[in-house]
Structure formats: C-alpha cells, structure tokens
Amino acid sequence: MPRSEPTSAPPSIPGVLTPEQVIAAAASIARQQEPSGAIPWFAPTAGVPGHVDAWNHVEAAMALTVTGFREPARRAYEWVRRNQRADGSWPAKWVLGEVTEPGGESNHAAYIAVGVWHELLITGDEAFAELMWPTVRRAIEFTLGLQMPRGEIIWIRHPDGTPSDHALLTGCSSIYQSLRCAVALAERLGEPQPDWELAADQLGHVVAGHPEAFADKSRFSMDWYYPMLGGPVRGQAARRRIAEHWDTFVVPDLGCRCVSDQPWVTGAETCELVLALDAVGERDLALKLFAAIQHLRHDDGSYWTGYQFANDRHFPGDRSTYTAAAVILAADSLSGTSAGANIFKEIGGRPLGPSEAADPVACGCEPATILGAVHS
C-alpha cells in the first residue's frame, strides 16, 4: 500500500477548523484515490462510481500537497503526465479508468499549470517542475489553440477536432490564473513565453470588460465569483460585483448556492467564494462564510457536496474529493500556512489582478486604423 500519511503541518482556522480536522479532510481525499493515481469526484458509492476530470483531479492534488500528503499528490501528478494526449489535452471524463467523454476542455488542460506552480512553491522541487514542464507547455498550447481573436477561449474541442461555438466566463477566468502560473513557471525554468503573457492580458481584459463574449450562465454562482477568484476583476469592480449578487447566491449561515434558482448550497462553490473574497480583500466576509459551511463536514473528515435546505437533506448525497480540496485550499489561503497559500493573490512575485488588453482593436475597444484612406 502506498504511504499516505502527512509529512508537514496543515493549515487551520482557530475556532473553526483544527489541524486534525484538516488532516482528516485530506485523508478522505487520499482514501478515494484510485490505484492508477487518479482522484475521482468520489469513490464508488452504492454501486455508482464518481468520474475523474483533470481540473478537479489537480485541485485535489494541490490540497494533498498543502497538507503534507506528498506521495499521493505525486502519484496524482504522474497520472496527469501519463494520460495527456498528443494534442496537449485530457478527456473530459473517465469512469473507473475508461474514457466516457473524450472531448478536451480548455480550462481542464490549462489548470495543470496552476498545480505544477503550486507544487513547486511548496516543495521547491525544481526536478519535478522540469519533469512536468513539457506537459504544461503542451497543455497551454492546446488551450491557446482555442483562443478567439477577441481574446476569449472556447471551452471545448470535440473529438472530431472541431471547437465548440462558445466560451464560458467561469472557465476563462480559471484559464487566466492558469496562464499567469504558466508564464511564471516558464520564466523560472529559463524558457520565457511572452506570447502566453500577451494571451493572458487579452483574456483578462475580455473577462472583465466584455460579457458579450461568453455564453449566459448567470444563474450559476461560479460566473459571479470566478472573475474575482481568477484575477481579472479586483478592487472597486470586485466590491460592486460582490454587492450586486450577494443576496442572490449567499444564504445566511448556510453558504453559497450552486445556482440562483435552487435551494441548494454547495461546499466547493462556498469555499471558492471564500478564496475569491480573501483575494479581493474581503477577509471578514470570507471567514464568516468559511465558518458557516462547516455544517457539511462529516465525522470522518470528508465533506458532503451540498445541502438542500428546503428539504433538509444532503444533496446529491455524495461526499466529494473536490469539496474537501476546496475547504483545504480556503483554509490555507485564510491562514497563510503553506508557501502556496497566496496563489490566488500573487504569482511569481506579481499581484494576480486585472490586465490591459494586449490588442484593444481586436476586442473593439479601439477603432482600427485604415491606412491609405482617401479623404475628400
């Protein structure tokens, strides 16, 4: 059996979450890791297996690293490296090792850059970063192959190679952070990628200023807070965004809804909102919300995915690895425990925040100059 005991002190929040409880949350992730190294949403429950996707898998690996579960985290990253396709992507879903949705999602591919940068920050392991660099480079090239001239990035490439016809605000906000991590990693390894930086600048500008570039998913709370979490929206714009939709999504003393029109609060969305609030300087709100969502904690350290408060029951009834991971990353950010705790605030010594358009003509913010125009 692979070793899965922690090797370093975990984060904690006094009066809210003890170090032992955080370790228990991480152990609940490690218990559900498959022999291959893959981390599913949840282990088979009542005959129903949870699926694996690259984004949530990497988030879970990050949480394992934060809590000192280094060996399971490395097995998770090796799984990522081993299962990358030639075009730089990963299938959207696996179930018990079998691909069930082969399309490649752009934000899934890009997020490996966040995981590798995070792992390097915490462990200082340059050899690991060198090993993973080709994987990160191919993933970012796949992602940027889906970037439109205006700056948004299409959410998926279908199995036949054709891209979807729309971009997602949540996914592009996540990709913005991923690109900043990829740029920092490239510079650290002596292989700077200025084109990636320009692509990030254009993407961040479009996320913050061009809602018309994205499919309307406004009923989902992620479209509300992810532009703040990923970095494109900060400062006064973030404070306006918080105030505008707080009452729509936040249920007092319970947490954040997944969707605005359902009586359902979810742990992962709540903890991501905590991370976003902390990143934009709203620490008191973040701490209050983080304390509120602890009602989802199970006695064994795992976390229920959500709570349907109209019917007073856990919904959909699983205890997910990505929820435990989001709790751990939020605790780390709030406590500043690990060397990766600020990854939602700064990357490579630079604040993670809004960007100016690299090409304001492409997004329509500046008129194109017509050379050789004839004037009467």
Side-chain angles (χ1 to χ4, degrees), residues 16-72:
V16 178
L17 205 58
T18 68
E20 293 76 18
Q21 289 169 332
V22 174
I23 287 294
S28 77
I29 298 172
R31 283 196 303 271
Q32 298 182 80
Q33 187 173 30
E34 297 174 358
S36 66
I39 302 175
W41 282 22
F42 51 87
T45 303
V48 179
H51 76 262
V52 178
D53 71 73
W55 196 103
N56 286 285
H57 170 92
V58 169
E59 181 190 41
M62 292 167 63
L64 290 171
T65 298
V66 163
T67 48
F69 285 73
R70 301 290 169 79
E71 190 274 340

Side-chain angles (χ1 to χ4, degrees), residues 219-275:
R219 65 188 284 264
F220 291 87
S221 60
M222 289 190 294
D223 262 26
W224 167 46
Y225 64 74
Y226 247 93
M228 299 182 288
L229 176 60
V233 175
R234 295 284 161 95
Q236 187 58 39
R239 288 187 285 275
R240 287 195 302 268
R241 195 175 187 90
I242 292 167
E244 185 177 1
H245 296 294
W246 184 266
D247 291 339
T248 300
F249 291 110
V250 176
V251 182
D253 301 321
L254 285 182
C256 180
R257 296 175 190 253
C258 176
V259 290
S260 61
D261 56 355
Q262 294 295 323
W264 180 32
V265 296
T266 46
E269 277 82 353
T270 300
C271 288
E272 288 178 339
L273 176 55
V274 167
L275 286 164

Side-chain angles (χ1 to χ4, degrees), residues 127 235 277:
L277 292 168

Side-chain angles (χ1 to χ4, degrees), residues 4 20 24 30 66 75 80 89 100 110 133 138 146 171 209 246 324 347 362:
S4 59
E20 293 76 18
V66 163
R75 288 200 297 120
V80 169
S89 71
T100 58
W133 168 243
R138 288 193 297 267
L146 289 167
W246 184 266
I347 296 171

